[in-house]
Amino acid sequence: MGFPALGSSITELASQFRATQFTAVAVITLWAYDYLLTFADEVELVWKKRRFSWTKVLFSINRYLPVIHCFFVGMQSLPTRQIHIGSLR
């Protein structure tokens, strides 16, 4: 008396989770590669100019806000340890 559909759905879920992990690693790798390729140009064209401009602000938001966002999303997905109120007494 088994549940073959349950076993196959768990296997499929684990496979999809693994594919998601591989995709995340690929995206991070491509982002890091792009960042390293364009960093010298960024320093030369954006940060060496002393004048304030809205272009610098928009560039910074566009370049670094997604990284900060991904960091916080990644931190939320880490397993946390739950503390029960009753165990504090």
Side-chain angles (χ1 to χ4, degrees):
M1 201 168 163
F3 297 101
L6 179 64
S8 65
S9 65
I10 290 174
T11 304
E12 183 180 334
L13 184 64
S15 175
Q16 289 174 357
F17 180 70
R18 189 124 172 116
T20 302
Q21 287 178 322
F22 286 144
T23 303
V25 169
V27 168
I28 291 168
T29 303
L30 287 173
W31 175 83
Y33 179 70
D34 176 64
Y35 181 81
L36 292 173
L37 282 179
T38 58
F39 184 72
D41 291 336
E42 175 186 344
V43 169
E44 189 66 36
L45 298 172
V46 177
W47 302 118
K48 283 195 175 180
K49 307 209 182 213
R50 300 211 182 251
R51 204 169 44 109
F52 171 81
S53 71
W54 287 105
T55 306
K56 280 186 183 184
V57 173
L58 291 173
F59 175 81
S60 299
I61 290 171
N62 186 48
R63 179 108 164 156
Y64 296 106
L65 192 62
V67 176
I68 294 167
H69 176 262
C70 288
F71 173 76
F72 284 114
V73 168
M75 293 299 290
Q76 288 177 349
S77 67
L78 291 176
T80 57
R81 186 174 159 209
Q82 295 179 354
I83 299 175
H84 298 284
I85 302 299
S87 66
L88 296 176
R89 295 181 189 167

